Amino acid sequence: KSPLVEIRNLKQYFTIKNTDGKKAYVKAVDDVSFDIFKGETLGLVGESGSGKTTLGRSMLRIYNPTSGSVKIDGVDITKFQGKKLLPYRKKMQYIFQDPYASLDPRMTVSDIVGEALDIHGLASSKSDRADKVRELLTLVGLNTEHASRYPHEFSGGQRQRIGIARAIAVQPDFIVCDEPVSALDVSIRAQIINTLEEMQDRLDLTYLFISHDLGVVRHTCDRVGVMYLGHIVELVESEELYKNPMHPYTRALLTAIPEPNPDTAKKRNRIILKGEIPSPVNPPSGCKFRTRCPYAKDVCSKKTPELADHGNGHFVSCHFAGEI
Ligand code: SF4
């Protein structure tokens, strides 16, 4: 498999002013490296504050990364601006979490989807634009007769379909799906995920699928990366993550999922995490998870563990991976 997206040592820091007036840095993404292969869905999970949304946005240059590189098709786009960046913006699209907030309430559906075509010069005339919008709406399962309606006239699921139509309008290769179903009713989540999967098959898309829900990720993603405090702590094929989680944080997340069968629940050896995720302004030294890890030893505060391959592409960032 060849990588479509290559992330190397990506850092995204935000400058803030402390109460004493001094500058400080929020280290939202801190030295992250990984590849996303053509055609795959890579899941990214973690608690809120883990940096997953910031990572998705830095990759697409919604933010300007502090350092590191983001390559798409072998081209580093980290320093590109304006016209030079535009063709890569076309290749990489974003589906937002909140279909209520991400669509301009003053624009009709036809204009929301058509605007994306206009920006990238993909419609040769007004009628071509209208035809393309109709085609896209049909593709995502919306009624073309509703193209002149406004976002508030649609349900949450339909609005997310508009968001999908807008993203695929520019024929991208790669889409960051940022919690695309978490703001929706449970009853329609599966329908939206099915639509995303259908689009992936028909249009040869590669996805980064951001979610806090390990249940959703299991069935949607080929591989899964687990984020904690701006770092990826484990990255592996989806089934393997659930069968053989190696990082204590992943184990804690997995054992927190309710298990209906009491016998299986007993065998799970539950890890209960102490406290909250620390502040990304003053993260712990060494392993960022050490303040909550039940297995932490001296070395964990002194040395940052590398994200190392522990066999068959099972990447883990823990000094004691395989021993715990
Ligand atoms: Fe826990 Fe140490 Fe492993 Fe970090 S490196 S996860 S603190 S055992």
Side-chain angles (χ1 to χ4, degrees):
K1 281 185 195 170
S2 54
L4 176 69
V5 184
E6 297 160 86
I7 309 294
R8 292 294 174 270
N9 307 106
L10 192 69
K11 290 185 182 175
Q12 185 71 62
Y13 294 178
F14 299 104
T15 315
I16 53 160
K17 255 193 188 157
N18 274 331
T19 40
D20 58 7
K22 284 190 181 146
K23 251 196 207 174
Y25 296 100
V26 177
K27 297 176 178 176
V29 174
D30 202 6
D31 205 1
V32 164
S33 301
F34 63 101
D35 292 337
I36 305 178
F37 300 116
K38 274 186 185 137
E40 82 168 333
T41 299
L42 178 72
L44 205 53
V45 293
E47 291 165 282
S48 59
S50 61
K52 50 194 193 309
T53 289
T54 306
L55 175 57
R57 293 184 179 193
S58 307
M59 286 166 64
L60 260 61
R61 293 290 315 278
I62 296 173
Y63 301 137
N64 286 326
T66 309
S67 63
S69 65
V70 177
K71 283 186 184 172
I72 178 153
D73 270 336
V75 179
D76 183 4
I77 62 160
T78 331
K79 303 277 180 313
F80 289 0
Q81 298 290 349
K83 271 190 183 163
K84 212 166 174 196
L85 186 59
L86 197 62
Y88 296 93
R89 286 218 187 280
K90 180 180 170 298
K91 279 173 182 271
M92 305 167 95
Q93 290 289 301
Y94 205 93
I95 294 172
F96 292 85
Q97 171 179 1
D98 187 351
Y100 296 90
S102 64
L103 305 174
D104 189 333
R106 297 157 303 180
M107 287 170 80
T108 64
V109 171
S110 171
D111 283 336
I112 288 169
V113 179
E115 186 186 50
L117 297 168
D118 297 340
I119 291 171
H120 295 282
L122 293 171
S124 55
S125 63
K126 264 192 176 175
S127 71
D128 182 38
R129 184 188 196 256
D131 286 347
K132 285 192 166 128
V133 168
R134 271 196 295 274
E135 216 176 280
L136 286 157
L137 295 184
T138 308
L139 202 58
V140 298
L142 286 167
N143 187 338
T144 54
E145 284 171 22
H146 297 166
S148 56
R149 292 189 181 178
Y150 291 87
H152 73 268
E153 296 175 81
F154 293 87
S155 69
Q158 286 170 327
R159 287 188 199 202
Q160 200 52 299
R161 288 179 193 278
I162 300 167
I164 297 170
R166 176 175 61 184
I168 62 171
V170 300
Q171 301 155 7
D173 297 323
F174 174 62
I175 302 182
V176 174
C177 307
D178 186 0
E179 303 258 15
V181 295
S182 46
L184 304 177
D185 282 347
V186 174
S187 58
I188 49 163
R189 288 182 185 176
Q191 293 173 22
I192 297 299
I193 287 175
N194 284 347
T195 302
L196 285 169
E197 286 176 345
E198 211 185 305
M199 294 306 110
Q200 182 169 39
D201 290 344
R202 291 173 80 146
L203 308 171
D204 274 338
L205 294 167
T206 302
Y207 288 148
L208 179 73
F209 193 98
I210 297 172
S211 178
H212 64 277
D213 186 339
L214 276 156
V216 170
V217 164
R218 179 173 196 164
H219 301 291
T220 317
C221 301
D222 302 297
R223 291 189 303 148
V224 177
V226 179
M227 270 195 95
Y228 185 80
L229 209 55
H231 288 257
I232 291 187
V233 297
E234 186 156 7
L235 176 67
V236 65
E237 278 182 11
S238 183
E239 274 314 303
E240 183 64 10
L241 185 86
Y242 292 85
K243 268 197 249 149
N244 181 28
M246 288 174 82
H247 195 283
Y249 178 58
T250 313
R251 289 195 187 176
L253 288 182
L254 286 170
T255 54
I257 300 174
E259 171 55 62
N261 180 342
D263 292 333
T264 321
K266 259 190 227 161
K267 282 184 209 151
R268 276 173 125 191
N269 209 359
R270 193 157 185 204
I271 297 177
I272 298 176
L273 291 182
K274 295 172 277 175
E276 302 268 321
I277 190 163
S279 159
V281 179
N282 285 310
S285 60
C287 174
K288 302 290 172 274
F289 185 57
R290 72 175 168 82
T291 52
R292 298 171 82 193
C293 179
Y295 307 102
K297 298 201 171 56
D298 270 1
V299 64
C300 305
S301 64
K302 293 180 187 127
K303 212 173 142 199
T304 306
E306 295 286 318
L307 184 67
D309 191 346
H310 287 262
N312 299 322
H314 192 156
F315 291 89
V316 191
S317 159
C318 170
H319 294 306
F320 303 101
E323 296 170 35
I324 293 167

